[in-house]
Amino acid sequence: MTTSAQSDSNEQAAFRAHCKAWLAGNLPPRPSFRLPLGPLEIATVEQLEYLCDWQKAAHAAGLVGCDYPREYGGGGLRDCQWIANHELKAAGAPFFPNIVGLGMAAPTIFHHGTEAQKRRLLPPLFSAEEIWCQGFSEPGAGSDLANVQAYAQRDGERWIVNGHKVWTTLAHFATWMILLCRTDRARKYEGMTYFVAPIRDGVGHGVAIRPLVKMTGELGFNEVFFEDYPIADDLRLDEPGRGWAVAMTTLLHERGAGPLVTPSSGGGVGDDGETTLGAAGLVELAKRSYRHGKPASDDPRLRDAIVQLLIRQRAFAQNERRAAVPALVDHPLRLPLQHKLTLSELLQDTARLACEIEGMAATLHQTDPNAPAGGRWPHAYMNSYGFTIAAGSNEVQRNILGERVLNLAKSK
Amino acid sequence: MTRPHDFGFDETAQILKDTARRLLQDHCAPEALHRLVAVSSEPARATEGVWDPSLWRKMVDLGWTAVAVPEHAGGFGMGLVAIAGLAEELGRAAVPSPLIATLCATYVAAACDSEAARQLLRRIASGLSVSLAGIDRRGSWEPEDTDVVVDEAGALQGTAWFVQDAGKVGALLVKAKSPRGVGLYLVEVDAPGVTMVPDAILDLTRDQAHVELRDVRDAQVLAEPGDGARVLVAAEPALLTIVAADMVGAAEWQLQTTAEYARTRVQFERPIGFFQAVKHPLVDMMVQIDAARSLVYDAACAFDHEPAAAEMCARMAKAAASDAAADVSGRSVQLHGGIGFTWECFIHIWFKRQKHNEVLFGDAAYQRARLADRLIGRIGETA
């Protein structure tokens, strides 16, 4: 909607042209099966393979990990990933499946890993040959993440892990897990250590993965049990006891503030809120839906509600744009830390309004042949709670914003 | 047409904004403003429109009436993005001055196509302050609505309502109807037949009047009858953006002042900002302000670079800013608690300026109704 080529540097302009040219001829053919709405909903091996093949091709073409150094499988460019993301979206390309890897693990490894770790772990992450998942949340450590109890006991050149992680998206497909463990029970924030765990190799050897069924009835995330699971010490990121600081790097990226703390951030999951939100689709939906025998698009209250969402959607995109203009930013974290809060609430309110517009038709499940828009909206509405809860619930986000940006007294 | 990624907010715009921030900090700090406009709580003062003419002279000397005037008319020809930055600072300081009114009039004059309008722009660049007289008795700002007519002798007759800062300006830009349609006219405030009747208003940082026009004969034609509506439609996005920028700047002051209070006011042995019932509303204020602020620069940039999107973006900005101003104002008083309800607390000055700007040129619901017509289609014609 807003991104323009006008202010591109020479390198950026050349890269944009490359992206456009490559995407024009290399989008994958539509699959015969239904693709999930996003990487969090990948449920079958055929979906995963299709999407991994696509990410691998895009990586080979230089559209993934663009801003990372070449020796780590990156493109060695500066400030170009957002251009790739924009062009990918403009071309209607499928999303990349390795969302935890690209969005969270890669910047964390880049920031805190050893040279050997970066060379080993990053290239297959970018090419989607190795899928990543995140082992942070536990039954007793949700909003209060620093309460993690999964315990790693030092044992010479390795660590022995016992514990229980939940909400583990993609664990059933993952080769690797970023894993936050307690290594000192006497200290809360200084008592954690961060590992990269080869969990696929551990299945049957101290790792058990069980699917969790979401409120939508879908699979997609899991709980993971560790029982005397050994991890080599050279898979530790940063120093023992520094786990919380490392986790903060991960969370800043997960919440959308990443580009600020690590210049070579992310890749492939860029989202200015437009295609995912589909708020523009609300207008078309309202024209096809009826209330009291008249088009829903004639109902003054619904019209006002739709326009309110269109305004919020545009404001979200313009926040992203303004965040990159230092002169128009008062505090460096102020807009980045709002990203997750505003996007998740926008998704939720959009889906909720869409259900209201559909009226009785919103009772129909995705599998019902009469469901409008393929039953997308009631489904998206339920799924939206994943976003308002995940990555630190929005209540926790408001604490963080109040404390870090407005300097209010800490609520803990 | 493409739009610059940075909204076109360049170094010149930055200097203008920084200069404005500093000048107003020095000459219109909250304590000084309170002493100036809130010295008395008597209702009679509601018509006075207290202001500081010496500060206005400094603003003129710095060229602030010239910034929006095109270069060919002796101005600096800066983009609306820069003007929005200036307007934000005017709102932040809640400064009483005829500058917002004059900036609005400047965009209307710039959309006219006449030698008289170019002459007016030159006078504005040299420091003339002007206000629009284009709202009717019912409060309508629609291009065709006015209670002023041009009679057969060519004289203006009638009353212009809700004229902003009328007591401070040197001239009025009057919307008047004749059989050939709406035209725009320049009337000096001291011209024969012009009577200012000040309104008693709530906002302490401006004045407002209705202006009676009887046999006003020497008005200059800025836009010919029939051309006035086009001019007003062309200028409207700039007007909405400027007022929205004023509100966003004021809202940021309200946020920061209220956050400071939450950091220092102790109850239950803790600063009240500790409590999530206070902390979370403050964060919601910030989120609302940021959305509105981004839309203000989006709208300004669209006006400068993408005229086809200017109206849509400006209405979005005004709607978001009006809602933010309403919510932030309410919470700024509520979160200040007992002291926030008193005259001695500065908060009410900004509260009242915001309530005024909220409805000026159409409130949020009005802007959204116009947006709905554009983005969804008119009722009855959508399906």
Side-chain angles (χ1 to χ4, degrees):
Chain A
M1 172 157 57
T2 60
T3 312
S4 83
Q6 193 164 316
S7 49
D8 282 354
S9 68
N10 287 341
E11 179 182 81
Q12 287 172 324
F15 181 69
R16 189 186 293 278
H18 163 69
C19 291
K20 281 185 196 293
W22 187 79
L23 287 165
N26 290 282
L27 286 185
R30 282 192 177 279
S32 56
F33 46 88
R34 196 180 69 87
L35 275 180
L37 290 176
L40 304 183
E41 278 91 45
I42 299 171
T44 67
V45 172
E46 67 178 358
Q47 289 174 336
L48 181 77
E49 285 179 350
Y50 174 90
L51 293 165
C52 285
D53 287 347
W54 162 238
Q55 183 177 329
K56 186 173 185 179
H59 175 245
L63 274 62
V64 183
C66 321
D67 297 334
Y68 284 81
R70 288 178 175 278
E71 56 269 34
Y72 309 143
L77 301 172
R78 253 189 81 199
D79 205 16
C80 281
Q81 186 67 57
W82 69 271
I83 292 173
N85 296 352
H86 181 80
E87 297 301 333
L88 281 159
K89 189 160 63 176
F95 57 83
F96 296 141
N98 207 4
I99 179 175
V100 176
L102 293 170
M104 295 175 243
T108 309
I109 293 165
F110 180 71
H111 224 65
H112 297 276
T114 63
E115 186 63 23
Q117 286 169 337
K118 290 184 225 183
R119 286 177 186 271
R120 161 65 185 86
L121 298 171
L122 290 176
L125 182 160
F126 293 134
S127 64
E129 287 163 294
E130 293 179 348
I131 296 292
W132 285 73
C133 67
Q134 178 189 28
F136 278 26
S137 296
E138 296 179 10
S143 289
D144 185 9
L145 177 63
N147 191 41
V148 295
Q149 299 297 318
Y151 193 75
Q153 172 77 51
R154 183 118 202 193
D155 177 31
E157 285 306 299
R158 59 180 200 163
W159 300 75
I160 305 298
V161 180
N162 282 281
H164 179 191
K165 294 288 180 183
V166 290
W167 276 61
T168 324
T169 300
L170 293 173
H172 51 316
F173 296 131
T175 307
W176 292 94
M177 171 188 273
I178 44 176
L179 175 62
L180 186 61
C181 287
R182 184 148 305 284
T183 47
D184 181 351
R185 291 198 174 96
R187 292 187 301 170
K188 186 173 181 181
Y189 290 92
E190 296 78 27
M192 286 173 276
T193 302
Y194 197 117
F195 298 94
V196 288
I199 60 159
R200 174 173 291 172
D201 294 342
V203 173
H205 308 282
V207 177
I209 300 170
R210 286 185 206 153
L212 279 173
V213 181
K214 294 189 280 191
M215 68 182 280
T216 58
E218 290 172 309
L219 301 175
F221 69 158
N222 307 270
E223 52 188 338
V224 179
F225 298 88
F226 297 106
E227 196 180 339
D228 293 333
Y229 168 57
I231 300 179
D233 187 52
D234 62 9
L235 295 176
R236 169 172 47 76
L237 278 194
D238 216 314
E239 296 303 312
R242 287 266 301 152
W244 184 250
V246 184
M248 284 304 103
T249 302
T250 308
L251 290 179
L252 276 173
H253 284 270
E254 183 173 9
R255 292 163 184 168
L260 215 83
V261 287
T262 306
S264 352
S265 167
V269 289
D271 184 0
D272 66 13
E274 220 177 342
T275 44
T276 324
L277 289 167
L282 289 179
V283 174
E284 292 312 309
L285 186 69
K287 289 180 178 178
R288 292 195 309 269
S289 304
Y290 282 81
R291 287 171 89 79
H292 313 300
K294 290 180 184 159
S297 50
D298 282 357
D299 180 307
R301 204 196 63 76
L302 285 181
R303 289 162 64 86
D304 191 65
I306 291 169
V307 172
Q308 286 195 37
L309 277 171
L310 293 174
I311 293 172
R312 283 171 60 190
Q313 177 189 323
R314 190 168 182 101
F316 179 82
Q318 296 304 316
N319 269 352
E320 302 291 286
R321 183 179 176 200
R322 181 161 66 84
V325 185
L328 296 176
V329 170
D330 295 336
H331 183 295
L333 289 176
R334 181 165 161 166
L335 288 170
L337 286 178
Q338 288 177 39
H339 179 98
K340 186 261 173 176
L341 178 75
T342 47
L343 177 58
S344 61
E345 293 185 351
L346 197 42
L347 283 164
Q348 191 159 81
D349 294 346
T350 301
R352 179 177 162 165
L353 178 61
C355 293
E356 195 183 343
I357 291 169
E358 289 181 350
M360 282 307 293
T363 62
L364 300 175
H365 188 263
Q366 274 186 311
T367 50
D368 191 286
N370 293 320
R376 165 189 178 172
W377 288 114
H379 186 79
Y381 178 56
M382 288 188 283
N383 256 330
S384 73
Y385 284 89
F387 298 110
T388 51
I389 294 167
S393 70
N394 284 6
E395 289 72 24
V396 169
Q397 300 302 322
R398 286 185 165 84
N399 281 351
I400 293 171
L401 279 159
E403 289 158 20
R404 295 194 61 175
V405 180
L406 296 176
N407 291 317
L408 303 174
K410 285 193 186 324
S411 297
K412 64 180 181 224
Chain B
M1 199 186 310
T2 55
R3 298 192 284 157
H5 205 65
D6 64 354
F7 304 95
F9 193 86
D10 59 13
E11 203 184 335
T12 330
Q14 178 79 65
I15 292 169
L16 176 64
K17 193 173 192 336
D18 290 347
T19 308
R21 173 91 66 111
R22 276 198 303 276
L23 181 84
L24 296 171
Q25 267 169 359
D26 291 347
H27 296 279
C28 190
E31 301 75 19
L33 179 66
H34 192 268
R35 274 198 305 278
L36 179 71
V37 302
V39 62
S40 162
S41 55
E42 292 295 315
R45 66 126 326 274
T47 57
E48 285 171 14
V50 185
W51 62 308
D52 176 1
S54 71
L55 175 57
W56 171 244
R57 277 192 295 278
K58 289 188 180 73
M59 291 158 76
V60 171
D61 289 345
L62 284 166
W64 292 0
T65 60
V67 286
V69 173
E71 284 172 290
H72 68 74
F76 296 112
M78 294 173 77
L80 185 57
V81 163
I83 309 308
L86 174 61
E88 254 195 298
E89 297 307 326
L90 301 174
R92 185 191 313 274
V95 60
S97 89
L99 187 55
I100 293 283
T102 301
L103 290 170
C104 290
T106 302
Y107 282 94
V108 175
C112 295
D113 183 24
S114 66
E115 186 47 40
R118 281 186 283 278
Q119 184 56 36
L120 170 62
L121 286 167
R122 276 183 215 105
R123 291 176 64 199
I124 291 173
S126 328
L128 176 70
S129 53
V130 185
S131 188
L132 297 171
I135 302 178
D136 72 9
R137 180 170 198 149
R138 297 168 305 159
S140 172
W141 160 253
E142 302 283 342
E144 302 285 345
D145 289 342
T146 173
D147 296 324
V148 180
V149 298
V150 186
D151 70 13
E152 287 169 2
L156 300 182
Q157 309 279 6
T159 304
W161 297 86
F162 305 106
V163 181
Q164 302 303 301
D165 288 305
K168 303 180 183 70
V169 296
L172 300 168
L173 207 162
V174 179
K175 177 164 73 171
K177 239 185 180 159
S178 70
R180 285 190 290 143
V182 165
L184 298 170
Y185 303 85
L186 181 67
V187 174
E188 309 294 325
V189 291
D190 55 4
V194 176
T195 309
M196 293 267 184
V197 186
D199 300 334
I201 61 170
L202 298 166
D203 183 4
L204 303 171
T205 68
R206 82 183 79 209
D207 73 277
Q208 182 178 282
H210 50 284
V211 181
E212 295 171 357
L213 304 161
R214 290 209 186 88
D215 291 325
V216 176
R217 294 184 177 282
D218 44 8
Q220 290 183 54
V221 183
L222 301 170
E224 292 289 338
D227 194 34
R230 175 199 67 79
V231 169
L232 293 168
V233 167
E236 186 174 23
L239 277 47
L240 296 173
T241 304
I242 288 168
V243 175
D246 185 305
M247 281 192 283
V248 164
E252 182 67 22
W253 183 90
Q254 293 174 305
L255 169 69
Q256 294 303 336
T257 303
T258 311
E260 172 62 15
Y261 187 73
R263 289 192 290 267
T264 50
R265 166 72 174 171
V266 174
Q267 289 285 273
F268 305 104
E269 295 83 43
R270 294 175 183 279
I272 59 172
F274 165 86
F275 300 104
Q276 290 164 341
V278 173
K279 180 178 289 175
H280 291 191
L282 279 164
V283 169
D284 289 338
M285 289 159 72
M286 175 169 73
V287 168
Q288 254 187 309
I289 291 168
D290 278 319
R293 189 172 187 220
S294 296
L295 288 170
V296 162
Y297 285 99
D298 176 41
C301 183
F303 187 85
D304 291 338
H305 297 279
E306 194 185 358
E311 185 207 336
M312 179 190 77
C313 296
R315 293 202 190 284
M316 286 187 169
K318 180 61 166 64
S322 287
D323 277 346
D327 293 346
V328 168
S329 294
R331 280 173 160 164
S332 71
V333 172
Q334 180 69 24
L335 295 177
H336 270 79
I339 191 73
F341 186 58
T342 66
W343 187 270
E344 72 175 280
C345 182
F346 302 158
I347 282 285
H348 71 95
I349 297 175
W350 277 259
F351 180 101
K352 293 165 186 173
R353 185 179 176 102
Q354 296 284 50
K355 298 313 282 180
H356 192 111
N357 276 333
E358 239 182 275
V359 293
L360 187 59
F361 302 137
D363 66 7
Y366 169 85
Q367 305 301 341
R368 288 198 298 267
R370 298 291 304 269
L371 284 164
D373 288 346
R374 181 188 167 119
L375 300 172
I376 303 174
R378 288 176 186 277
I379 291 177
E381 302 168 8
T382 62

